[in-house]
Amino acid sequence: MATPLTLKELSKKEDLLTHGHRMCSGCGAPTVVKMVLLATEHPVIAANATGCLEVSTCISEYTAWKIPWIHTAFENAAATLSGVETMYRSLKKQGKIDKDVKFIAFGGDGGTYDIGFQSLSGAMERGHDMIYVCYDNGAYMNTGIQRSSATPLGADTTTCPAGSVIPGKLRARKNLTKIMAAHNIPYTAQASPSHWMDLMKKVQKAHSYEGPKFLNIIAPCNRGWRSKTNDSILLSRLAVNTCYWPLYEIENGVTKITSTPKEKLPIADFMKPQGRFKHIFDPGNEWLLTRIQEEVDAEWEKLKYAEKCGC
Amino acid sequence: MAKVVAVTGNEAVANALRQVNPDVCGIYPITPQTDMMQRYASFISDGKVDTEAVLVESEHSSMSACIGASAAGGRVVTATSSQGLALMWEMLHIAAGDRLPIIMPVVNRALSAPLNIHGDHSDAMGARDTGWIQIWSENGQEAYDNTIQAFRIGEHMDIRLPVMVCMDGFIISHSIERMEYLDDPEVKNFVGPFKNLYPLLDLDKPKSYGPLILTDLYHEYKRAQHEVMLKTKDVVLEVAKDFEKLSGRKYGLFESYRLEDADIALVILNSAAGTSKDVIDEFRGKGIKAGLLKPRLFRPFPYEEVAEALKNTKAVCVMDRSDSFGGYGPLFMEISSALYQLKQKPALINKIYGLGGRDYLPSHAEEVLQELHEIAQGGKLKIIKEYIGVRE
Ligand SMILES: Cc1ncc(C[n+]2csc(CCOP(=O)(O)OP(=O)(O)O)c2C)c(N)n1
Ligand code: SF4
Ligand SMILES: [Mg+2]
């Protein structure tokens, strides 16, 4: 029986990513991980791609993980975990292990959208029983805020810096959630820590399916977003309410928007509190703000259409 | 009771793996390895093994999955060649650094560019510093025997390191030879059950694998890796002794062929050693004291033992089937390091032969032995490193 998703019940559960890790204060990633693990019932084994979460939670000879955890490299959390899961299946088949175990991989957007894309696609196609969770902070944060294919249009990063000629990133984000759904896996969803109940429900739903599942979860990074350290939840909420980060799921091929903003806010509301978009509001860059709004609107319309037509 | 068979190297090694029956294997095609794991896939489909295969989308993922599987707790194998091994390079270090006894036959093949699918040793030589134990094999029988022994060596509780078993692409992997198989129960007994060490699947005692280590501990960690490698030689010999009792076939750190009283010697790896031995016999017939040393354990490298074996020679040629462009061949570098510690050293030359599967002929061995003979007679050492069998 899954734990009822009430604060009272959840507060009785142990944090499986414990205090003492060294992520920046106010970082969204550990909040995301804690929520995912709180919504997980069975014994669970996690794999982690190289990145902020990994380097800050297990520094020899300490670990913040109260569950079996493995990190091997940057591009292969899915492949590594597929090995762990395969050994589990082999030993279970041979009668050498009897417990039911769940498997979760955590990767940043760089380790998932970019360098780890192949190994993720391979693991999903092979059908391993795991949830792959991408905590998406929109850049290679661990190496100092470099552009990834998850970096939003217009953002200033250290490899697509907003300069006097080029105003930051000129490409829109890759829509990885859709790409993962196109693997015809049973469950794909997008979530945000601001909507914790929605997020945890999605984790529980994902666990209820055998086979590969993918969750894309926005995880604000105050260092890279140039935002206040206490704004993670606020910004992840604004991401949802501007429809920059719509909350939806694709369950057995059927798209469902799980939370529609009461009032769809302009994208500028999400961008203004973030220094990485400061230049967008400079005179002369109005066209870029318009383009960003158009991109967001177009994606949102496509999503609503997908829901409406049941695809 | 041993069974005499006529099989290819790939078939023999696939059969050794079947007899060991590992829990998980990674499979990805690359010539000339492909046919080995293809055969293994049939064993799985026909229910002859308990193994679960991960049919990965690349060799990088194959080694990653093998690492995950091994850390989870169980016996793990994969096999590869050439570009596949090159693609694994990052993960090879991680398998060794995590002390995971993964066993991997490597069917040696040249590296691109230009693309070439034939046998040379560039792939495994490029992986010599990854922390893997490397065992090299002259023929199918040795590849079969070494594969079986590799499990005992890598999984030894004092060692816990991954092992590569090398054999020459096509020349061995695809040639049919007469060889002897051990019985299934004999192999099972010899290898024994897998012993776990800190498995991830021990859910009651959670482990973290693959931490970040800073300047305070990394250096010590790497020294520990070197030290465990030094212990490996004894384990290799101990396992070889047990294997001899079982099979009657004797293995050491290297093979010495007519070396005891030799004035001149070849040092040569894998299949070309076989060709060379015939020519050594011819030279012996002519009254020239020629011998041969064929390394078996390349990592860790048995420097003292090799120096001891070569110390009475007058001239030695190290034959490399791979190159370090602008440097000497990798085997030459090891042998010259070994010999440097001797007070009286033989003259030492290096020939690069057989790249990309270029035939190594008895006439090549003859030329080299003739040159060594002249040097040993007081002739001048003209050139240290030279390509042989080259079309001009
Ligand atoms: C093969 C490889 N290339 C590059 C790196 C360097 N590197 C380590 S972490 C990292 C960035 C991680 O970005 P992301 O996955 O988005 O996670 P984040 O740090 O943002 O949480 C990079 C580029 C590496 N470790 N391995
Ligand atoms: S740099 Fe960003 S993602 Fe990394 S720990 Fe700090 S806030 Fe978190
Ligand atoms: Mg990132």
Side-chain angles (χ1 to χ4, degrees):
Chain A
M1 240 288 283
T3 309
L5 294 179
T6 62
L7 288 177
K8 189 169 165 219
E9 289 305 315
L10 291 171
S11 67
K12 292 181 194 158
K13 289 190 81 178
E14 187 188 20
D15 267 339
L16 297 176
L17 176 67
T18 189
H19 50 266
H21 66 72
R22 300 187 208 175
M23 303 203 73
C24 302
S25 63
C27 175
T31 308
V32 164
V33 173
K34 282 183 192 180
M35 287 180 179
V36 170
L37 293 178
L38 266 181
T40 300
E41 302 301 327
H42 288 279
V44 59
I45 299 182
N48 207 167
T50 311
C52 271
L53 176 68
E54 170 270 323
V55 298
S56 316
T57 53
C58 185
I59 305 181
S60 201
E61 313 193 296
Y62 300 95
T63 182
W65 297 87
K66 291 196 168 180
I67 52 174
W69 175 90
I70 181 167
H71 157 253
T72 63
F74 185 23
E75 63 281 59
N76 61 353
T80 303
L81 195 63
S82 67
V84 180
E85 187 261 358
T86 305
M87 181 57 78
Y88 163 74
R89 268 190 291 114
S90 177
L91 297 182
K92 202 154 192 202
K93 180 181 76 181
Q94 297 176 60
K96 293 178 181 171
I97 191 167
D98 53 9
K99 281 193 183 133
D100 284 332
V101 183
K102 298 286 182 193
F103 300 89
I104 306 180
F106 292 102
D109 48 287
T112 307
Y113 285 66
D114 289 353
I115 199 167
F117 184 54
Q118 170 187 317
S119 91
L120 170 62
S121 178
M124 298 286 116
E125 181 277 326
R126 289 192 298 273
H128 296 280
D129 186 26
M130 64 165 79
I131 305 180
Y132 189 104
V133 176
C134 173
Y135 67 99
D136 182 345
N137 52 28
Y140 297 103
M141 296 308 179
N142 183 53
T143 35
I145 324 168
Q146 289 83 29
R147 168 218 204 268
S148 77
S149 58
T151 301
L153 175 63
D156 171 45
T157 74
T158 54
T159 48
C160 58
S164 53
V165 178
I166 303 172
K169 194 189 178 206
L170 293 180
R171 301 281 306 161
R173 295 160 42 78
K174 182 195 271 182
N175 192 331
L176 185 66
T177 311
K178 269 197 196 167
I179 298 170
M180 296 325 295
H183 283 69
N184 290 335
I185 56 180
Y187 193 74
T188 309
Q190 211 163 264
S192 162
S194 55
H195 295 62
W196 60 270
M197 177 87 87
D198 174 81
L199 186 155
M200 289 184 168
K201 265 192 199 155
K202 284 170 177 164
V203 175
Q204 288 189 342
K205 214 176 220 186
H207 278 312
S208 74
Y209 284 103
E210 223 180 287
K213 286 85 56 174
F214 178 79
L215 298 179
N216 205 356
I217 308 182
I218 192 167
C221 156
N222 53 68
R223 295 290 305 117
W225 294 16
R226 304 270 180 251
S227 53
K228 288 198 286 199
T229 51
N230 55 352
D231 270 358
S232 265
I233 299 302
L234 177 89
L235 285 172
S236 55
R237 179 168 294 116
L238 282 168
V240 175
N241 289 341
T242 54
C243 296
Y244 166 80
W245 193 266
L247 300 181
Y248 69 103
E249 63 188 12
I250 300 167
E251 190 175 359
N252 292 320
V254 180
T255 303
K256 186 176 165 225
I257 297 171
T258 56
S259 174
T260 305
K262 276 198 200 80
E263 181 199 353
K264 180 170 172 289
L265 301 174
I267 188 66
D269 288 12
F270 171 62
M271 294 163 71
K272 272 209 175 114
Q274 303 182 47
R276 63 175 172 159
F277 296 118
K278 190 163 159 278
H279 60 286
I280 305 287
F281 301 96
D282 288 346
N285 282 340
E286 295 79 2
W287 66 273
L288 191 49
L289 182 59
T290 308
R291 214 184 108 195
I292 295 167
Q293 185 66 65
E294 284 167 2
E295 296 267 358
V296 169
D297 294 349
E299 286 295 309
W300 178 238
E301 288 309 315
K302 272 191 250 171
L303 183 61
K304 283 197 292 186
Y305 181 74
E307 183 181 49
K308 201 169 114 209
C309 72
C311 56
Chain B
M1 255 302 286
K3 190 173 149 202
V4 177
V5 291
V7 292
T8 64
N10 272 348
E11 189 175 348
V13 174
N15 190 49
L17 297 179
R18 180 193 60 75
Q19 294 180 307
V20 173
N21 189 13
D23 299 303
V24 170
C25 74
I27 303 186
Y28 197 80
I30 183 163
T31 309
Q33 172 280 124
T34 310
D35 138 78
M36 181 193 297
M37 294 312 278
Q38 222 163 258
R39 287 171 190 276
Y40 200 79
S42 294
F43 296 146
I44 297 175
S45 287
D46 295 337
K48 293 194 171 141
V49 286
D50 299 313
T51 316
E52 283 288 324
V54 196
L55 304 177
V56 277
E57 82 301 329
S58 75
E59 288 90 349
H60 192 285
S61 285
S62 184
M63 189 43 64
S64 301
C66 285
I67 290 169
S70 184
R75 198 168 259 153
V76 180
V77 303
T78 185
T80 194
S81 295
S82 182
Q83 306 305 120
L85 190 65
L87 189 59
M88 281 179 188
W89 195 75
E90 179 192 33
M91 300 316 297
L92 296 177
H93 287 261
I94 294 169
D98 282 347
R99 304 283 302 274
L100 300 171
I102 298 161
I103 304 304
M104 178 163 65
V106 174
V107 185
N108 299 119
R109 165 185 149 181
L111 286 172
S112 294
L115 189 147
N116 177 303
I117 58 165
H118 291 279
D120 77 27
H121 303 156
S122 311
D123 50 6
M125 284 300 167
R128 69 178 181 189
D129 299 335
T130 56
W132 283 59
I133 295 167
Q134 280 193 350
I135 303 174
W136 294 68
S137 326
E138 178 180 326
N139 48 39
Q141 182 75 65
E142 289 194 10
Y144 170 83
D145 292 349
N146 285 337
T147 302
I148 292 166
Q149 291 175 68
F151 288 90
R152 281 273 303 271
I153 297 165
E155 291 173 11
H156 193 283
M157 290 311 262
D158 295 342
I159 305 297
R160 306 303 284 196
L161 283 174
V163 188
M164 271 176 220
V165 178
C166 302
M167 66 162 159
D168 284 347
F170 288 111
I171 302 166
I172 300 305
S173 65
H174 286 63
S175 307
I176 294 179
E177 283 174 56
R178 176 211 176 272
M179 66 182 89
E180 290 177 16
Y181 280 164
L182 298 168
D183 291 340
D184 291 359
E186 285 177 330
V187 174
K188 195 173 169 195
N189 258 340
F190 180 81
V191 173
F194 183 79
K195 291 193 205 81
N196 263 316
L197 194 63
Y198 312 126
L200 278 174
L201 280 165
D202 181 1
L203 301 159
D204 301 326
K205 294 196 204 92
K207 316 282 180 311
S208 287
Y209 265 84
L212 172 74
I213 291 202
L214 299 172
T215 46
D216 55 346
L217 283 171
Y218 184 85
H219 202 55
E220 287 68 26
Y221 199 96
K222 290 293 140 181
R223 183 183 62 177
Q225 238 178 296
H226 173 66
E227 280 171 355
V228 73
M229 268 290 200
L230 296 183
K231 286 196 225 163
T232 302
K233 273 193 300 196
D234 289 343
V235 172
V236 168
L237 291 174
E238 180 189 310
V239 171
K241 216 181 267 171
D242 287 352
F243 191 79
E244 188 185 351
K245 274 185 227 145
L246 179 66
S247 66
R249 293 185 289 277
K250 196 175 166 65
Y251 288 94
L253 303 173
F254 50 84
E255 183 193 335
S256 298
Y257 185 76
R258 308 189 81 164
L259 202 56
E260 306 72 39
D261 62 340
D263 289 329
I264 59 172
L266 298 180
V267 180
I268 192 159
L269 279 165
N270 278 14
S271 65
T275 312
S276 306
K277 284 176 199 167
D278 290 342
V279 184
I280 300 271
D281 292 345
E282 279 172 30
F283 272 66
R284 285 279 176 173
K286 291 192 269 184
I288 298 169
K289 291 181 179 170
L292 175 145
L293 188 150
K294 181 189 75 184
R296 173 174 180 248
L297 185 67
F298 189 75
R299 277 291 177 279
F301 196 82
Y303 294 101
E304 293 89 6
E305 294 84 348
V306 164
E308 182 62 29
L310 292 173
K311 72 171 189 226
N312 295 323
T313 57
K314 295 189 178 126
V316 173
C317 178
V318 184
M319 309 284 288
D320 269 291
R321 199 164 206 156
S322 63
D323 201 0
S324 174
F325 310 104
Y328 293 120
L331 184 57
F332 179 90
M333 296 192 222
E334 302 300 349
I335 302 299
S336 63
S337 300
L339 297 181
Y340 186 78
Q341 304 303 332
L342 293 176
K343 277 206 189 72
Q344 227 185 334
K345 308 178 213 347
L348 195 60
I349 57 172
N350 187 197
K351 305 286 183 201
I352 309 291
Y353 74 98
L355 299 187
R358 171 62 49 86
D359 279 337
Y360 173 71
L361 303 171
S363 60
H364 296 134
E366 252 168 59
E367 281 164 32
V368 174
L369 284 167
Q370 190 54 41
E371 185 179 338
L372 285 177
H373 178 56
E374 282 160 26
I375 296 170
Q377 297 291 305
K380 220 169 132 6
L381 191 160
K382 281 170 267 165
I383 182 163
I384 297 177
K385 176 185 167 180
E386 200 180 25
Y387 271 60
I388 60 168
V390 190
R391 296 168 56 184
E392 298 295 350

